[in-house]
Amino acid sequence: MATAFSSDGEAALRRELGPAAAAAAPRGDLDGFYEMGRAAAFVRSGGFRKVALQFPDELLADAAAVAARMEAATGAEMYVLGDTTYGSCCVDEVAAEHAGAEAVLHYGPACLSPCGKLPVLHIFGQQPLDIGRCAEAFRELYPDRQSRVVVLNDVVYAHAMGELEQQLCPEYPNIVFSRVVCEDPPGPAPPGEVRQFGRQFLVEAPGGLQDCSMFYVGAEGLALTSFMLTWNRCPFSSFDPATGCGRRETLNVNRALMRRLYLVERARDARVVGILVGTLGVAGYLAVLQHLRELLRRAGKRSYTLAVGKPNPAKLANFLEVDVFVLVACAQNSLLDSSDFYRPVVTPYELELACNPAREWTGNYLTDFRDLLPGACAHVELPPAIPAADAVPDISLITGELRATQLCDRPASQLPPSTTLACRDQTRALAEISPAASFLESRSWRGLEQQLGQTPVSKAVQGRRGIAIAYEDEGREQP
């Protein structure tokens, strides 16, 4: 799971670009794969003159051809977004606004997190699916025709779910197919209806969702892991279209939850928390940042808000004063495996478990930070502050030391006068200077010295080939 946001870079350096590496889309059917007609109708109906086309790495080989066809069909200017700021499953509204785009066409797999600013059309790419083999695998996994099963799918196979439903529904009267919805439906969900992860389905089982099994059509990945942790009381099976094999998922959910609950204990012990901004496009991210700051302030912990792009161990190692990080990202990318990091990385829900005494562990795991905001289904109000004399002492399960668990409250009127305003330039414009930011700015890193004007100019010469860990001439004497 760490590869969603970080890696050692070796795979990218060794990857060979060419037809074999960019064979995700059928070469002769760009119009069908990228749904050119639907995309052009979206641009024309909205009257957009500048449109951003966001592609994941595996589809970038088709970007130029798609942009040219879209410009010819709509007359609008097309801008290709290749290197997204965070995960490619999220809509990169910031990069689109840099180009002055009025709308975004998002291609490839998507987390379906709602956006706050620009109109978005999701085009998943119609990956091939062997309907017959998938139905056969389903029958092998669920021989009882009365089984209650909810069928989930990766978004790239959404186009084939209708045909699969026609094959299985006559045989399985209690089967339920989820629908992919790119926007949150208006109003509250009716009883029995589940709306989560851009999926919508109705459960009529007497015991609710926990009486159902889950069948996932798609490859193993972050989406499946998020589903399994969230609906951890449901047994899961899956069918991988790439291999044509169905299987019962054996992910040890209990062990994964124990690992996450261990991180909750680390968050309880932390005194300094770094809030990592992992998205700038998901609706509600500013509200949850403010919510986390207030939660940490009431819990007596210091917090720093950090925007470092895609986090990796090297970046976060620069903040040794931070005891634990909390990642604000979409539901798929929030479960970051931090085993290779110097400090743990938790989710907003885990931080709430650690710092909000009113929130208790119920067995239901939440990966969408919007569920924690006021008015959401899982919002829990912060309890009133308790005097220190009445607080029940708590002992850390990791260090064995006493720690404070009660909430403290300092009204705004009792805060010391602010000294963070200063003149920014000669125009007397005011700038806010955070003491925390000033402390981090005092640390610096010095790289190679440029020595401008001191180095003699010379012609370019042939250098080494390869990567630093294995140059092609490694071990041979240099002439």
Side-chain angles (χ1 to χ4, degrees), residues 33-68:
F33 185 85
Y34 292 106
E35 302 179 58
M36 297 288 192
R38 186 165 71 98
F42 169 78
V43 175
R44 287 193 296 264
S45 63
F48 306 123
R49 305 310 304 166
K50 288 186 178 181
V51 180
L53 310 182
Q54 181 178 338
F55 290 85
D57 290 347
E58 62 269 18
L59 298 179
L60 269 179
D62 297 327
V66 173

Side-chain angles (χ1 to χ4, degrees), residues 150-167:
V150 176
V151 178
L152 304 167
N153 61 277
D154 193 344
V155 292
V156 297
Y157 303 108
H159 65 97
M161 289 299 102
E163 187 177 348
L164 182 63
E165 184 176 1
Q166 292 177 1
Q167 287 201 21

Side-chain angles (χ1 to χ4, degrees), residues 232-254:
N232 54 73
R233 300 179 183 179
C234 303
F236 269 77
S237 299
S238 69
F239 174 77
D240 188 347
T243 62
C245 298
R247 68 177 186 181
R248 298 193 182 276
E249 290 297 329
T250 57
L251 171 66
N252 191 336
V253 176
N254 291 334

Side-chain angles (χ1 to χ4, degrees), residues 457-476:
V457 179
S458 60
K459 294 183 178 180
V461 296
Q462 180 68 37
R464 282 184 160 185
R465 295 174 57 88
I467 60 177
I469 61 173
Y471 289 113
E472 292 183 1
D473 58 353
E474 197 77 36
R476 293 181 294 183

Side-chain angles (χ1 to χ4, degrees), residues 40-389:
F42 169 78
V43 175
R44 287 193 296 264
S45 63
F48 306 123
R49 305 310 304 166
K50 288 186 178 181
V51 180
L53 310 182
Q54 181 178 338
F55 290 85
D57 290 347
E58 62 269 18
L59 298 179
L60 269 179
D62 297 327
V66 173
R69 296 193 187 190
M70 286 297 298
E71 286 186 345
T74 63
E77 294 182 74
M78 300 292 162
Y79 295 84
V80 175
L81 307 180
D83 186 17
T84 55
T85 308
Y86 299 101
S88 60
C89 64
C90 299
V91 177
D92 196 347
E93 288 187 318
V94 175
E97 289 183 329
H98 287 169
E102 302 168 353
V104 179
L105 298 181
H106 184 279
Y107 294 96
C111 59
L112 300 177
S113 300
C115 302
K117 299 178 182 179
L118 300 178
V120 178
L121 177 66
H122 287 281
I123 299 176
F124 307 124
Q126 299 183 358
Q127 296 286 0
L129 175 66
D130 188 341
I131 304 294
R133 179 67 192 99
C134 182
E136 181 183 349
F138 184 92
R139 297 184 186 99
E140 294 173 356
L141 292 168
Y142 301 100
D144 183 4
R145 295 301 192 263
Q146 300 300 318
S147 300
R148 297 185 181 273
V149 185
V150 176
V151 178
L152 304 167
N153 61 277
D154 193 344
V155 292
V156 297
Y157 303 108
H159 65 97
M161 289 299 102
E163 187 177 348
L164 182 63
E165 184 176 1
Q166 292 177 1
Q167 287 201 21
L168 294 179
C169 279
E171 304 177 34
Y172 293 85
N174 297 320
I175 193 173
V176 176
F177 277 77
S178 64
R179 292 193 305 110
V180 174
V181 290
C182 298
E183 297 181 359
D184 290 340
E193 185 175 89
V194 179
R195 298 176 180 176
Q196 214 165 0
F197 306 113
R199 300 337 191 257
Q200 182 177 348
F201 54 91
L202 183 64
V203 177
E204 298 180 347
L209 192 59
Q210 63 183 5
D211 284 353
C212 299
S213 300
M214 298 289 190
F215 179 74
Y216 178 75
V217 180
E220 181 181 358
L222 291 173
L224 178 57
T225 302
S226 183
F227 292 161
M228 295 184 68
L229 281 179
T230 302
W231 297 313
N232 54 73
R233 300 179 183 179
C234 303
F236 269 77
S237 299
S238 69
F239 174 77
D240 188 347
T243 62
C245 298
R247 68 177 186 181
R248 298 193 182 276
E249 290 297 329
T250 57
L251 171 66
N252 191 336
V253 176
N254 291 334
R255 185 172 183 178
L257 289 176
M258 288 174 61
R259 166 66 181 168
R260 306 309 303 188
L261 293 177
Y262 164 77
L263 296 180
V264 172
E265 283 297 312
R266 293 289 300 270
R268 288 195 178 106
D269 291 342
R271 297 182 179 179
V272 181
V273 178
I275 304 176
L276 294 177
V277 181
T279 178
L280 295 178
V282 177
Y285 85 95
L286 288 176
V288 81
L289 288 178
Q290 183 61 32
H291 174 72
L292 294 178
R293 293 191 192 104
E294 176 64 16
L295 174 65
L296 292 170
R297 185 188 71 83
R298 293 280 304 277
K301 302 179 187 294
R302 287 185 295 162
S303 65
Y304 298 89
T305 302
L306 308 171
V308 297
K310 299 178 182 180
N312 58 46
K315 287 181 181 179
L316 301 190
N318 291 313
F319 306 99
L320 295 179
E321 296 80 12
V322 175
D323 298 320
V324 68
F325 295 94
V326 53
L327 177 62
V328 178
C330 69
Q332 289 190 17
N333 287 325
S334 61
L335 292 171
L336 181 62
D337 183 7
S338 58
S339 57
D340 295 332
F341 289 69
Y342 292 96
R343 295 289 187 268
V345 182
V346 302
T347 67
Y349 173 65
E350 291 165 352
L351 187 68
E352 274 235 345
L353 283 175
C355 299
N356 186 354
R359 183 177 290 279
E360 299 180 355
W361 170 248
T362 62
N364 296 323
Y365 194 88
L366 303 175
T367 56
D368 191 343
F369 63 74
R370 296 180 301 149
D371 294 337
L372 309 177
L373 297 176
C377 58
H379 175 69
V380 176
E381 291 286 345
L382 294 177
I386 300 177

